[in-house]
């Protein structure tokens, strides 16, 4: 495999998507925040295509972070500038560009 790249996936597992500059990671979220609340918070800067709070698979509780996909990369950059450090439900939210990472088991 000299110089080649090998990628292994479990059956049914989707390959990691390459970053397109439209998706941001939001951390420091309140455990009381759901995906609809995250979407409403992000819509302050513009059109949101998708928003999800990450949850524990076993108990369904929030992990305190999530991701938001905006309609354009310009809106994603604006969200980083305008929403990073803002307070939401008593917690300071951190916002950064989402990077492609392989899924972690569990």
């Amino acid at each position: 495999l000299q110089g080649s790249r090998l990628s292994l996936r479990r059956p049914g597992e989707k390959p990691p998507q390459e970053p397109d500059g439209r998706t941001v990671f939001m951390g420091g979220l309140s455990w009381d925040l759901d995906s609809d609340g995250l979407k409403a918070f992000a819509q302050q800067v513009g059109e949101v295509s998708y928003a999800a709070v990450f949850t524990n698979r076993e108990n369904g509780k929030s992990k305190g972070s999530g991701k938001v996909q905006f309609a354009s990369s310009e809106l994603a950059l604006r969200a980083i500038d305008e929403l990073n450090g803002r307070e939401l439900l008593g917690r300071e939210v951190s916002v950064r560009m989402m990077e492609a990472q392989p899924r972690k088991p569990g």
Side-chain angles (χ1 to χ4, degrees), residues 27-34 53 62-65 88-91 93:
L29 304 176
S30 167
W31 288 278
D32 296 326
L33 185 71
D34 62 11
V53 171
S62 170
K63 291 185 175 182
S65 60
L88 176 63
L89 297 178
R91 305 221 17 178
V93 177

Side-chain angles (χ1 to χ4, degrees), residues 9-20:
R9 294 191 312 266
R10 293 185 180 107
E13 185 178 58
K14 294 179 183 178
Q17 294 183 347
E18 292 299 316
D20 61 3

Side-chain angles (χ1 to χ4, degrees), residues 29-95:
L29 304 176
S30 167
W31 288 278
D32 296 326
L33 185 71
D34 62 11
S35 295
D36 289 337
L38 179 60
K39 184 174 186 176
F41 177 70
Q43 284 176 327
Q44 295 177 68
V45 297
E47 184 182 346
V48 172
S49 305
Y50 174 82
V53 171
F54 300 137
T55 57
N56 182 303
R57 290 183 189 179
E58 292 181 21
N59 62 23
K61 292 184 180 181
S62 170
K63 291 185 175 182
S65 60
K67 71 177 181 177
V68 176
Q69 184 180 67
F70 288 91
S72 69
S73 57
E74 291 80 13
L75 287 174
L77 291 172
R78 186 172 158 201
I80 293 168
D81 288 340
E82 294 183 17
L83 301 179
N84 188 46
R86 293 261 309 266
E87 190 173 302
L88 176 63
L89 297 178
R91 305 221 17 178
E92 186 176 306
V93 177
S94 65
V95 184

